[in-house]
């Protein structure tokens, strides 16, 4: 069971890196695109980071569900799952932004993207609080 937990934590760390980095990278991608009119290396890197971390997110969710089953699904874990679902929705919306950016469509302002990026930080903090404190 320890290996499942280790894999879960490792994949969560990788997924979180992308959750925090990709919205910020879109801001710089948008600025670069405005100057050059091309996606360039930054766009390619942002897309690849998103795509790679998608698999890590799936593994994190599967191993988390497996571990939750082993724990017997205590009440606090239901709250964690709800928060993870919200963070996953945020991540999927980020994917929509990446797809549009690949087409050269940058509709959101820099301010929106900055706020959008910070929302994920608060989501991660909430999840960590639930895991550490186990409020119920």
């Amino acid at each position: 069971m320890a290996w499942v937990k280790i894999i879960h934590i490792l994949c969560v760390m990788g997924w979180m890196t992308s959750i925090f980095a990709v919205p910020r990278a879109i801001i710089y991608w948008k600025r670069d695109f405005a100057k050059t009119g091309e996606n360039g290396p930054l766009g390619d890197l942002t897309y690849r980071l998103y795509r790679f971390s998608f698999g890590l997110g799936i593994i994190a969710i599967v191993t988390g569900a497996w571990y939750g089953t082993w724990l017997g699904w205590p009440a606090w874990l239901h709250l964690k799952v709800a928060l993870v679902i919200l963070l996953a929705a945020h991540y999927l919306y980020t994917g929509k932004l990446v797809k549009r950016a690949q087409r050269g469509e940058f509709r959101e302002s820099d301010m929106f993207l900055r706020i959008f990026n910070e929302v994920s930080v608060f989501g991660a903090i909430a999840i960590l609080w639930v895991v550490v404190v186990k409020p119920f």
Side-chain angles (χ1 to χ4, degrees):
M1 185 43 72
W3 280 106
V4 173
K5 191 173 186 178
I6 290 168
I7 291 168
H8 176 70
I9 292 169
L10 183 63
C11 289
V12 166
M13 288 170 31
W15 189 39
M16 287 294 116
T17 300
S18 178
I19 286 174
F20 297 152
V22 171
R24 177 61 72 175
I26 292 172
I27 294 170
Y28 299 119
W29 184 1
K30 178 182 174 182
R31 291 176 185 170
D32 190 49
F33 188 85
K35 288 180 188 173
T36 65
E38 299 175 353
N39 282 333
L42 184 57
D44 186 51
L45 178 66
T46 304
Y47 169 73
R48 288 174 184 267
L49 177 60
Y50 180 83
R51 188 180 66 188
F52 174 73
S53 66
F54 188 87
L56 295 175
I58 297 297
I59 295 168
I61 289 169
V62 168
T63 56
W66 185 344
Y67 193 66
T69 301
W70 185 78
L71 290 174
W73 291 100
W76 63 267
L77 196 54
H78 293 274
L79 177 58
K80 178 190 173 191
V81 168
L83 292 169
V84 169
I85 288 169
L86 290 174
L87 201 56
H90 179 279
Y91 180 77
L92 292 174
Y93 186 76
T94 301
K96 184 176 180 178
L97 296 176
V98 169
K99 288 283 189 194
R100 285 198 318 223
Q102 286 182 303
R103 296 190 303 266
E105 297 175 25
F106 297 91
R107 300 179 194 164
E108 288 74 16
S109 68
D110 287 6
M111 181 62 73
F112 172 86
L113 292 169
R114 282 190 177 97
I115 292 169
F116 182 73
N117 189 41
E118 297 308 319
V119 165
S120 63
V121 173
F122 288 115
I125 290 169
I127 291 168
L128 287 170
W129 180 83
V130 170
V131 170
V132 170
V133 174
K134 296 176 180 61
F136 340 103

